[in-house]
Amino acid sequence: MEFEFNLEDKLYKITIEKKGEVYFVDLGNSKKEVKVQTISPNCLSLSIDGHNQTAYLADAENKKFVFVQGEQFIIQEKESAKVRKKEDEAGLIDGKQLVFAPMPGRILKILVSEGEKVRKKQSLAIVEAMKMEHEIKSALDGIVKKVNFKENQMVDTEEPIMELEQEK
Amino acid sequence: MEFEFNLEDKLYKITIEKKGEVYFVDLGNSKKEVKVQTISPNCLSLSIDGHNQTAYLADAENKKFVFVQGEQFIIQEKESAKVRKKEDEAGLIDGKQLVFAPMPGRILKILVSEGEKVRKKQSLAIVEAMKMEHEIKSALDGIVKKVNFKENQMVDTEEPIMELEQEK
Amino acid sequence: MFKKILIANRGEIAVRIIRACKEMGIETVAVYSDVDRKALHVQMADEAYLLGLAPPLESYLNIDKIIEVTGKSKAEAIHPGYGFLAENYLFSKRCEDEKITFIGPNSKALRLVGDKLESRKTMTQVKIPIIPGMQMKGGNLKDFEEQAEKIGYPVMLKASAGGGGKGMRIIRSKEDLKSSVEAGMREAKSAFGDESVYLEKCVERPRHIEFQVLADNYGNAVHLFERECSIQRRHQKIIEETPSTALTPGLRAEMGKTAVKVIQTANYNNAGTVEFLLDENGKYYFLEVNARIQVEHPITEMVTGVDLVKSQIKIASGEKLPFSQEVLSQRGHAIECRIYAEDPENDFLPSFGKILFVNEPSGPGIRNDSGLYSGIEVAMHYDPILAKLICWGENRESARNRAVQALSDYAILGIKTQVNYLKDLLSHPEFAAGNTRTDFIPKNMSDWKEKMSREELKETALIAAAIQSMDETSTKGKMIEAAGFDPWISLGKWEIGA
Amino acid sequence: MFKKILIANRGEIAVRIIRACKEMGIETVAVYSDVDRKALHVQMADEAYLLGLAPPLESYLNIDKIIEVTGKSKAEAIHPGYGFLAENYLFSKRCEDEKITFIGPNSKALRLVGDKLESRKTMTQVKIPIIPGMQMKGGNLKDFEEQAEKIGYPVMLKASAGGGGKGMRIIRSKEDLKSSVEAGMREAKSAFGDESVYLEKCVERPRHIEFQVLADNYGNAVHLFERECSIQRRHQKIIEETPSTALTPGLRAEMGKTAVKVIQTANYNNAGTVEFLLDENGKYYFLEVNARIQVEHPITEMVTGVDLVKSQIKIASGEKLPFSQEVLSQRGHAIECRIYAEDPENDFLPSFGKILFVNEPSGPGIRNDSGLYSGIEVAMHYDPILAKLICWGENRESARNRAVQALSDYAILGIKTQVNYLKDLLSHPEFAAGNTRTDFIPKNMSDWKEKMSREELKETALIAAAIQSMDETSTKGKMIEAAGFDPWISLGKWEIGA
């Protein structure tokens, strides 16, 4: 059986064959012999080449959260791995810059309005979550083309709060 | 909605009506207003007439195990409640006595054989479970009619190990 | 002793207070906002009342409503926990007027120490060493600019009303002053309902050392030794320990005496913490009094064997302190790690949503104060603290190793936490050596990314994911969100034709 | 220090030892019988090896196999835990021959103290007070009958090789002698592989007081104070506490000295426990030395702050005792409750099978040593002990109240346990008053049945069951065995047409 997983923007091909109790896992660069005890739907006890490891797992939509020794990994199946439109070094997408909220939250203040000129490092908006404030600053000198939100609206990290255009 | 539950050989009729958030529960002798938060399939947070109680639950076959404040209750739906054939005071069923193991385990010794006469308090068999031995003694003077097990066989609490007949 | 206490808080501290009450045979009343209906503190209390909507001002900061519920539930006392109304003297005054016992200091002392500026004045009068800075709150921006010049950059901006880093900022130059002061005021307002802020000289590379104090209603006061809280991110403590590696027995005794003097000068009663800065030359300055049970109180409980929350309740009910200074002692070493819903790989931005699964560590010497369970929703409206892992050991090294092990077992799936960051921090040679100053994180952790070991853990994670997916496809049905923990979906095997 | 240790045990004690090793940076090797494939200790260890079938003689008592696995895994030392091979001098001798460090006393001392009769002789020579009784093991029945007559009924039958109540019986009359002796011998055989038993005068209404001792390989020995273990059912301890309510500081010091003398007389090293009986007149008798880490060791750890398992490992690796008697002290009070898979409503018959769901208590001062998790199978082949709940408090009363609360949260669904029995026992006025003697249970608990409160709890249980059934029927699918915890069934919503 073959799987294609996406983990931290890297694609991994994994081939597994089960013979009796043993899973033969091929990770491309390395092969492992694995025995498994399913402790609960959220816990697997693995013996990888004779070395024990406990993994905690949980599923959400098309993601798998996997915890091993203090670290959580978020694994997506290839087809469902989402990619945001490619940005260039300056973080521009065809000369425009989309300003995203750093995290979901409530927009406390919108400090600029459409058409306004902004300088690099100028504060554009303030987003609040969990009683902490986060100032969003401009990464360029330019003009505010479009503001998609009002103050006190909730925002996630997928929808741009506003669009800036670089000064020609 | 109506339920008939068997708990510790007692039958309980319970009628519930749900109006919005509130369950109106009629236990026959008392009526309760109950609000519920389902914390997990194994945990309900109940507010019974305004007083909070946490109940842990788990299902097996036709049983529900329910834990409340340090005590476990085993609740069966009426139809599935099993009843063993009625015994009289002496523990006799039509003059015969069925000798059951007190708990599931391994039969360590059978100390009598079919046809043998036994006295009251005489040891009949020894069953072992969890490294503890349990001597099964005769409750009457009589004769061993039938022995259903051999030493080292496993036995549960449903099948009689042997049958005794009371001396006439 | 009280028959019934209302806990005007949420999360791990509410749970911890309810536990103390149950053990003392006291009935408990929980309050909650609508997003906290399923919170653990609500389940555990004997009664629970809805306060209002999620925003603190409508729920956990809603004084009228809380007083109303207290009356309705016939609770005799209120424990405010930390944050929210804990240090709001108007609230404690209100309790006094309503003949409800406020489990904390009297409102006059609370007002004094709560007003950082007032207390600075008072303490200078009795020769308690303080940090040079403003003696009054700032008015307009010009005012702040002048003061900053006078003190000299870098300066520290502080909320007069609060603690816990809220509203606090280092300002290194005139340019940052405006936005910092404004943001600080807004934060102070939303956190404490009071926007006053002031400036202080910024002591560089200090250690943050605080002393736990207990004072009864009859003037008796003792200290329960220090806690070192130098490991901070943006003025937010994340790891605390006791004893401090920086204190000699002599210095410990001297600072302890000073702490008790501060408390008595303020006519303070109940539990409190006296904060000091200790500079590189071993000179210490009084910072402020935290007039509440503190987040990090468990480490003191573990080394002194004194239950601080129960002590608070006993003192509030009029009992005398049961011990004198001489009988108190420190045994072993305790370290607390604060587990936050933050993403350490993404500038520690808050992370919230549903926790799909939790595995909390346990074992000898491990205490885990949390309000978590599998399936709980982490709301965005409150502090991102999820839990506190407290590890005790015979000495610092064993406490540290125990904490590293415990963190390795602390699985919180579904949201981001800084568990692995904490693990690496505890494993850092500078931390192991006890070189802990408030600049520890900028100095040692700024370039943090997952350790090399990670690659091999990645492999394990991929293998686990693949094997589980394989087994899933070989059994009918697919795992769904929060497998086994979504209350609205019953678990079951899909029977064909059923 | 060792790089790798093999743990020749199972259940909670194996888990506890593995935790200690991890914190010390020592790799761990677990062994298991085929029914323990999914046991927690197997999951936690770095490596795990199958020993054989479930019966102890084929697995956990299988010396050859265990030695073989030790070699294969390159472990340098073996920790035997308690029970099984822990006090088998042939095993420790074998380890010595194989150049494997046995984490426990040297085989000569183990042989001496393990032979209850030999040690009785040796101790009388140095004037340690002992209970009058047989100086040699019984041969034929006649022999026992004569001895019993000589000592005078009631007499106590004991296994020469073991402890933990295995093989132990009170014999009150000649009639019971035969069956008791035979059963005792069989139990001794299956528990320790040695069937020798002997008779002792039965001291009536004693308290069971034992002293924890640590001795290094250089003749240094200290005691870590007492544990009172008077609450026993059929010679099986179920609740232990420290300090004992019966000891004055003077008596404590004297018995402690005696304990150390016993250990030194036996040239004993590593951790051990010296058992005494304390009669109604405050006279104490040496009973025996338990040459192992004991089930109840955690209460000593909680009041002394010393980690006994880590101490065992350090001593075995050749380290000197890090402390002298003077620096050791008791702080607060600790109570341990043993949770057994037994049915208190049905003569405490063992109960086994699958644990459908577990909720383990947690909180300040609560330690829970267990090998449980939701879904684990409790096998019939081993001791019915499931877990140990240890509660520490500032004093006896707070520890007791904490334990009662914790038991109220200790949900183990699917099999029978005596949790509610323990809860009632702790709540009994005689226990609260500290009147604990070995006849406590026959005297105060023989008529035990659930409290009156039960009726109301029953109602709650019925309501919960009904509401859940209602919600189930209103969602598709039905709950199945071990909801959410049966590994072979994936959880899922049944999608129509899926």
Side-chain angles (χ1 to χ4, degrees):
Chain A
M1 198 155 182
E2 203 177 295
F3 295 92
E4 290 199 318
F5 287 137
N6 207 302
L7 170 54
E8 291 161 11
D9 304 321
K10 248 201 187 155
L11 193 68
Y12 296 84
K13 268 198 171 56
I14 299 149
T15 322
I16 313 185
E17 242 189 302
K18 191 177 182 183
K19 290 185 185 140
E21 274 230 314
V22 185
Y23 295 78
F24 294 85
V25 183
D26 187 341
L27 293 147
N29 54 350
S30 68
K31 290 179 165 44
K32 309 269 181 195
E33 271 190 46
V34 185
K35 286 189 189 168
V36 182
Q37 294 292 340
T38 306
I39 303 309
S40 84
N42 294 101
C43 180
L44 294 183
S45 175
L46 307 161
S47 159
I48 302 176
D49 293 340
H51 189 80
N52 281 5
Q53 294 257 41
T54 299
Y56 296 97
L57 305 91
D59 289 25
E61 295 113 38
N62 42 43
K63 288 197 225 72
K64 253 190 207 296
F65 295 86
V66 186
F67 176 95
V68 184
Q69 280 179 45
E71 298 187 23
Q72 178 172 235
F73 302 91
I74 301 172
I75 296 174
Q76 288 184 300
E77 304 212 352
K78 187 195 178 189
E79 55 274 13
S80 57
K82 198 199 294 153
V83 195
R84 199 188 259 176
K85 194 169 180 190
K86 192 86 201 71
E87 301 174 352
D88 66 21
E89 304 64 44
L92 298 191
I93 297 168
D94 23 291
K96 271 217 214 62
Q97 187 192 42
L98 302 180
V99 180
F100 292 97
M103 77 286 184
R106 192 165 57 87
I107 293 181
L108 214 61
K109 274 179 179 285
I110 298 278
L111 301 164
V112 295
S113 43
E114 292 185 6
E116 185 174 336
K117 277 201 172 186
V118 293
R119 279 169 296 94
K120 191 164 177 173
K121 287 212 172 307
Q122 181 181 338
S123 300
L124 301 173
I126 296 167
V127 175
E128 180 198 59
M130 290 173 156
K131 279 163 68 187
M132 282 166 58
E133 293 194 3
H134 300 273
E135 221 169 320
I136 303 172
K137 299 188 174 188
S138 174
L140 48 71
D141 298 335
I143 295 154
V144 180
K145 291 304 286 183
K146 196 160 176 312
V147 178
N148 305 322
F149 285 82
K150 290 193 188 53
E151 291 184 0
N152 286 317
Q153 279 186 310
M154 301 300 301
V155 62
D156 64 19
T157 58
E158 298 303 322
E159 249 181 308
I161 297 172
M162 60 183 72
E163 293 175 25
L164 307 182
E165 194 171 80
Q166 197 162 24
E167 257 177 338
K168 304 286 169 321
Chain B
M1 199 156 182
E2 204 177 296
F3 295 92
E4 290 199 320
F5 286 137
N6 207 301
L7 171 54
E8 290 161 12
D9 304 320
K10 247 199 189 158
L11 193 68
Y12 296 83
K13 268 199 173 51
I14 300 150
T15 322
I16 313 186
E17 243 189 300
K18 190 177 182 183
K19 289 185 185 139
E21 275 228 316
V22 184
Y23 295 78
F24 294 85
V25 183
D26 187 340
L27 294 149
N29 54 352
S30 68
K31 289 182 167 42
K32 308 269 180 194
E33 271 189 48
V34 185
K35 286 189 189 167
V36 182
Q37 295 292 340
T38 306
I39 304 309
S40 84
N42 294 101
C43 180
L44 294 183
S45 175
L46 308 161
S47 160
I48 302 175
D49 294 340
H51 189 79
N52 282 4
Q53 295 255 43
T54 299
Y56 296 97
L57 304 92
D59 288 23
E61 297 113 34
N62 41 44
K63 289 197 224 71
K64 254 190 205 298
F65 295 87
V66 185
F67 177 95
V68 184
Q69 280 179 47
E71 299 187 23
Q72 179 172 237
F73 302 91
I74 301 172
I75 296 174
Q76 288 184 300
E77 304 214 350
K78 186 194 177 191
E79 54 276 12
S80 56
K82 197 201 290 152
V83 194
R84 198 190 259 175
K85 195 170 180 188
K86 191 87 200 70
E87 302 173 350
D88 66 19
E89 303 64 43
L92 298 191
I93 298 168
D94 19 294
K96 272 218 209 61
Q97 187 190 42
L98 302 180
V99 179
F100 292 97
M103 77 286 187
R106 192 164 58 89
I107 293 181
L108 213 60
K109 275 179 179 286
I110 299 277
L111 302 165
V112 295
S113 43
E114 292 185 5
E116 184 175 337
K117 276 200 175 186
V118 293
R119 277 169 296 91
K120 193 165 176 172
K121 287 214 172 305
Q122 181 180 341
S123 298
L124 302 172
I126 295 166
V127 175
E128 180 198 57
M130 291 171 155
K131 280 163 67 187
M132 281 165 60
E133 293 193 2
H134 299 273
E135 218 169 322
I136 303 172
K137 298 186 175 189
S138 174
L140 48 71
D141 298 335
I143 295 155
V144 180
K145 290 304 285 183
K146 197 162 175 311
V147 178
N148 305 322
F149 284 84
K150 292 194 185 52
E151 293 186 359
N152 286 316
Q153 280 187 312
M154 301 300 300
V155 62
D156 64 17
T157 58
E158 299 303 320
E159 249 181 307
I161 297 172
M162 60 184 73
E163 291 175 26
L164 307 182
E165 194 171 80
Q166 198 161 24
E167 257 175 341
K168 304 285 170 319
Chain C
M1 183 46 67
F2 308 111
K3 287 189 188 50
K4 198 187 260 192
I5 291 177
L6 181 140
I7 295 92
N9 213 304
R10 66 184 296 280
E12 65 85 17
I13 191 63
V15 169
R16 191 257 178 278
I17 295 164
I18 289 168
R19 285 203 173 111
C21 292
K22 286 187 179 225
E23 290 172 5
M24 295 173 80
I26 300 168
E27 284 186 77
T28 51
V29 181
V31 292
Y32 59 98
S33 74
D34 62 349
V35 295
D36 279 343
R37 277 172 197 287
K38 297 183 144 214
L40 195 56
H41 74 282
V42 177
Q43 299 168 40
M44 284 178 65
D46 297 310
E47 303 166 51
Y49 294 87
L50 177 65
L51 290 175
L53 296 173
L57 285 164
E58 301 183 41
S59 49
Y60 299 102
L61 288 174
N62 184 340
I63 294 180
D64 290 337
K65 185 69 181 172
I66 288 167
I67 294 293
E68 178 200 323
V69 167
T70 309
K72 202 193 287 174
S73 66
K74 302 197 175 47
E76 301 154 85
I78 295 178
H79 197 307
Y82 54 70
F84 294 126
L85 296 169
E87 294 175 279
N88 181 325
Y89 73 90
L90 294 168
F91 179 61
S92 70
K93 181 76 177 58
R94 176 73 182 275
C95 290
E96 285 162 10
D97 300 343
E98 306 269 354
K99 305 268 172 299
I100 298 164
T101 307
F102 175 81
I103 299 175
N106 62 83
S107 61
K108 265 182 85 268
L110 185 48
R111 178 172 197 169
L112 169 63
V113 303
D115 184 333
K116 307 275 171 291
L117 291 161
E118 267 312 304
S119 49
R120 280 166 62 85
K121 270 202 223 107
T122 319
M123 294 312 155
T124 31
Q125 287 155 16
V126 292
K127 310 245 175 323
I128 305 285
I130 67 160
I131 300 169
M134 290 165 70
Q135 296 299 329
M136 53 184 298
K137 70 172 178 172
N140 53 32
L141 187 65
K142 219 173 122 302
D143 189 8
F144 279 101
E145 287 177 351
E146 286 165 14
Q147 290 290 343
E149 296 303 336
K150 200 165 118 239
I151 299 166
Y153 288 100
V155 294
M156 184 72 76
L157 180 80
K158 287 189 179 174
S160 186
K166 292 274 175 309
M168 209 185 208
R169 280 164 167 59
I170 291 187
I171 305 172
R172 301 205 167 271
S173 72
K174 194 159 178 246
E175 291 63 57
D176 309 347
L177 194 68
K178 183 169 184 299
S179 60
S180 300
V181 168
E182 283 172 3
M185 288 170 109
R186 271 194 307 274
E187 268 184 38
K189 175 83 180 163
S190 85
F192 317 109
D194 172 355
E195 65 174 14
S196 2
V197 294
Y198 69 101
L199 298 174
E200 232 175 44
K201 174 67 189 160
C202 171
V203 179
E204 299 273 19
R205 306 206 59 231
R207 287 180 188 252
H208 178 112
I209 308 275
E210 60 186 28
F211 274 70
Q212 176 66 53
V213 178
L214 284 176
D216 64 23
N217 303 344
Y218 314 98
N220 310 307
V222 297
H223 71 83
L224 291 91
F225 309 101
E226 79 280 14
R227 292 184 289 256
E228 174 161 357
C229 315
S230 302
I231 307 297
Q232 307 183 355
R233 256 197 68 258
R234 301 182 186 153
H235 311 296
Q236 179 65 261
K237 301 167 184 173
I238 59 176
I239 289 178
E240 301 99 344
E241 66 180 306
T242 183
S244 162
T245 59
L247 297 196
T248 60
L251 185 52
R252 176 173 293 117
E254 184 190 335
M255 291 176 78
K257 272 206 194 62
T258 310
V260 170
K261 186 173 174 191
V262 166
I263 288 304
Q264 284 171 326
T265 305
N267 297 312
Y268 187 99
N269 59 330
N270 212 286
T273 297
V274 181
E275 291 194 334
F276 298 100
L277 285 187
L278 182 67
D279 72 16
E280 290 179 287
N281 316 317
K283 201 166 174 315
Y284 64 91
Y285 307 90
F286 164 73
L287 265 188
E288 61 183 47
V289 174
N290 296 138
R292 59 175 189 264
I293 188 73
Q294 275 188 288
V295 175
E296 60 269 29
H297 76 276
I299 58 174
T300 297
E301 294 183 323
M302 288 185 102
V303 297
T304 62
V306 174
D307 188 310
L308 293 170
V309 170
K310 287 181 181 172
S311 300
Q312 282 189 296
I313 295 169
K314 288 176 186 165
I315 289 171
S317 78
E319 291 186 22
K320 281 208 167 70
L321 276 184
F323 35 64
S324 59
Q325 190 67 60
E326 308 76 64
V327 306
L328 294 169
S329 66
Q330 297 169 296
R331 173 188 278 177
H333 196 98
I335 298 177
E336 172 179 276
C337 302
R338 300 190 187 189
I339 310 223
Y340 284 109
E342 296 176 334
D343 181 358
E345 287 163 71
N346 186 11
D347 196 26
F348 292 87
L349 293 173
S351 163
F352 38 84
K354 183 175 206 152
I355 293 180
L356 304 176
F357 178 78
V358 185
N359 178 73
E360 295 181 302
S362 68
I366 293 174
R367 167 175 167 181
N368 178 52
D369 282 17
S370 102
L372 297 181
Y373 59 83
S374 298
I376 195 171
E377 288 276 350
V378 178
M380 56 159 281
H381 309 80
Y382 310 111
D383 253 36
I385 190 164
L386 295 174
K388 298 171 343 194
L389 175 69
I390 307 101
C391 293
W392 180 92
E394 295 171 347
N395 51 49
R396 187 172 190 264
E397 196 53 12
S398 66
R400 192 178 67 84
N401 291 329
R402 179 165 279 167
V404 170
Q405 282 303 320
L407 287 168
S408 306
D409 290 337
Y410 213 135
I412 301 176
L413 301 184
I415 65 170
K416 297 291 184 72
T417 73
Q418 24 69 288
V419 163
N420 54 346
Y421 178 85
L422 290 167
K423 207 179 141 197
D424 290 349
L425 198 161
L426 289 174
S427 310
H428 193 290
E430 286 296 308
F431 183 87
N435 299 330
T436 50
R437 302 183 167 279
T438 54
D439 64 352
F440 181 93
I441 283 178
K443 211 150 152 275
N444 303 301
M445 297 294 289
S446 50
D447 63 340
W448 178 83
K449 48 191 141 25
E450 278 73 12
K451 299 185 307 304
M452 288 321 296
S453 80
R454 197 130 190 294
E455 266 319 312
E456 140 206 346
L457 296 187
K458 239 186 228 176
E459 278 193 349
T460 307
L462 289 163
I463 291 169
I467 287 176
Q468 191 179 61
S469 309
M470 186 173 180
D471 292 348
E472 278 159 29
T473 46
S474 69
T475 44
K476 291 192 192 51
K478 255 186 155 299
M479 301 273 278
I480 51 161
E481 183 179 27
F485 297 99
D486 185 331
W488 305 116
I489 294 158
S490 80
L491 307 167
K493 173 168 50 179
W494 171 25
E495 284 130 356
I496 298 160
Chain D
M1 182 47 65
F2 309 111
K3 287 188 188 51
K4 199 187 261 193
I5 291 178
L6 180 140
I7 294 93
N9 214 304
R10 65 185 297 281
E12 65 85 17
I13 191 63
V15 169
R16 191 261 177 276
I17 296 164
I18 290 168
R19 285 204 173 107
C21 291
K22 286 188 177 219
E23 290 172 4
M24 295 173 80
I26 300 168
E27 283 186 78
T28 51
V29 181
V31 292
Y32 59 98
S33 74
D34 63 349
V35 295
D36 278 343
R37 279 173 194 288
K38 296 181 146 216
L40 195 56
H41 74 282
V42 177
Q43 299 168 41
M44 283 177 66
D46 297 310
E47 304 165 50
Y49 295 86
L50 177 65
L51 290 175
L53 297 173
L57 285 166
E58 302 183 42
S59 49
Y60 300 102
L61 289 173
N62 184 340
I63 294 180
D64 290 337
K65 184 70 181 172
I66 289 167
I67 294 293
E68 176 200 323
V69 167
T70 310
K72 201 193 288 175
S73 66
K74 301 197 176 52
E76 300 154 86
I78 296 179
H79 196 306
Y82 55 71
F84 294 127
L85 296 170
E87 294 175 279
N88 182 325
Y89 74 90
L90 294 169
F91 179 61
S92 70
K93 182 77 177 58
R94 175 73 181 275
C95 290
E96 285 162 8
D97 300 342
E98 304 270 354
K99 305 267 170 301
I100 298 163
T101 307
F102 175 81
I103 300 175
N106 62 82
S107 61
K108 268 182 82 266
L110 186 49
R111 178 172 198 170
L112 169 65
V113 303
D115 185 332
K116 305 277 171 289
L117 291 161
E118 266 312 304
S119 47
R120 280 165 62 84
K121 274 205 218 104
T122 318
M123 294 311 157
T124 31
Q125 286 154 16
V126 292
K127 311 246 175 322
I128 305 283
I130 67 159
I131 301 169
M134 290 164 69
Q135 297 299 329
M136 52 184 299
K137 69 173 177 174
N140 53 33
L141 187 64
K142 219 172 123 300
D143 188 8
F144 280 101
E145 286 177 351
E146 286 165 13
Q147 290 290 342
E149 295 303 336
K150 200 166 119 237
I151 299 166
Y153 289 99
V155 294
M156 182 73 75
L157 180 80
K158 287 190 178 173
S160 186
K166 292 275 175 314
M168 207 184 213
R169 278 161 168 59
I170 291 186
I171 305 170
R172 301 204 167 273
S173 72
K174 194 160 177 242
E175 291 62 57
D176 309 348
L177 195 67
K178 182 170 185 298
S179 60
S180 299
V181 169
E182 282 172 1
M185 287 170 111
R186 272 194 307 272
E187 266 184 41
K189 176 82 180 164
S190 85
F192 317 109
D194 171 355
E195 64 174 13
S196 8
V197 294
Y198 68 101
L199 297 174
E200 233 175 42
K201 173 69 188 160
C202 171
V203 178
E204 299 273 17
R205 305 206 60 231
R207 288 181 189 252
H208 178 112
I209 308 275
E210 60 185 29
F211 275 71
Q212 176 67 54
V213 178
L214 284 176
D216 63 23
N217 303 344
Y218 314 98
N220 310 307
V222 297
H223 71 83
L224 291 90
F225 309 100
E226 79 280 13
R227 292 183 290 256
E228 175 161 357
C229 315
S230 303
I231 307 297
Q232 306 183 356
R233 252 197 71 258
R234 299 180 186 156
H235 310 296
Q236 179 64 263
K237 301 167 186 172
I238 59 176
I239 289 179
E240 301 99 344
E241 65 180 308
T242 182
S244 163
T245 59
L247 297 196
T248 60
L251 184 53
R252 176 174 294 116
E254 185 191 334
M255 291 176 77
K257 272 207 195 62
T258 311
V260 171
K261 188 173 174 190
V262 166
I263 288 303
Q264 285 171 325
T265 306
N267 296 313
Y268 187 100
N269 59 331
N270 212 286
T273 296
V274 180
E275 290 193 335
F276 297 100
L277 285 188
L278 182 67
D279 72 15
E280 291 179 286
N281 316 317
K283 201 163 174 320
Y284 64 91
Y285 307 90
F286 164 73
L287 266 188
E288 60 182 48
V289 174
N290 296 138
R292 59 176 187 265
I293 188 74
Q294 275 189 287
V295 175
E296 60 270 27
H297 75 276
I299 57 175
T300 296
E301 295 183 322
M302 288 183 103
V303 297
T304 62
V306 174
D307 188 310
L308 293 170
V309 171
K310 287 182 182 172
S311 300
Q312 283 189 295
I313 295 170
K314 288 177 187 164
I315 289 170
S317 77
E319 291 187 20
K320 281 207 167 68
L321 275 185
F323 35 63
S324 59
Q325 190 66 59
E326 307 77 64
V327 305
L328 295 169
S329 66
Q330 297 169 294
R331 172 188 277 176
H333 196 98
I335 299 177
E336 171 180 278
C337 301
R338 300 190 187 189
I339 311 229
Y340 285 109
E342 296 176 336
D343 182 358
E345 286 162 71
N346 187 12
D347 197 26
F348 292 88
L349 293 173
S351 164
F352 36 83
K354 183 175 206 153
I355 292 180
L356 304 177
F357 178 78
V358 185
N359 179 72
E360 295 182 300
S362 68
I366 294 175
R367 167 175 166 180
N368 178 52
D369 283 17
S370 103
L372 297 181
Y373 59 83
S374 298
I376 195 172
E377 288 276 352
V378 178
M380 56 159 282
H381 310 81
Y382 310 112
D383 252 34
I385 190 164
L386 295 174
K388 297 169 346 194
L389 175 68
I390 306 101
C391 293
W392 180 92
E394 296 171 346
N395 51 49
R396 187 171 189 264
E397 195 52 12
S398 67
R400 193 178 66 83
N401 291 329
R402 180 165 280 167
V404 170
Q405 282 304 319
L407 287 168
S408 306
D409 290 337
Y410 214 135
I412 301 176
L413 301 183
I415 63 170
K416 296 290 183 68
T417 73
Q418 24 69 292
V419 163
N420 54 346
Y421 178 86
L422 291 167
K423 205 179 143 198
D424 290 350
L425 198 162
L426 289 174
S427 310
H428 194 289
E430 286 297 307
F431 184 87
N435 299 331
T436 49
R437 301 183 169 279
T438 53
D439 65 352
F440 181 93
I441 283 176
K443 213 153 151 270
N444 303 301
M445 297 293 289
S446 50
D447 62 340
W448 177 83
K449 48 193 140 21
E450 279 70 15
K451 297 188 306 304
M452 289 319 298
S453 79
R454 198 130 191 294
E455 267 318 312
E456 142 207 344
L457 296 186
K458 240 186 226 176
E459 278 193 348
T460 306
L462 289 163
I463 290 170
I467 287 175
Q468 192 178 61
S469 308
M470 186 175 181
D471 292 348
E472 278 160 27
T473 46
S474 69
T475 45
K476 290 192 191 53
K478 256 184 154 301
M479 301 274 279
I480 51 158
E481 185 178 25
F485 297 100
D486 185 328
W488 306 116
I489 294 159
S490 80
L491 307 166
K493 175 170 47 181
W494 171 27
E495 284 128 357
I496 299 161

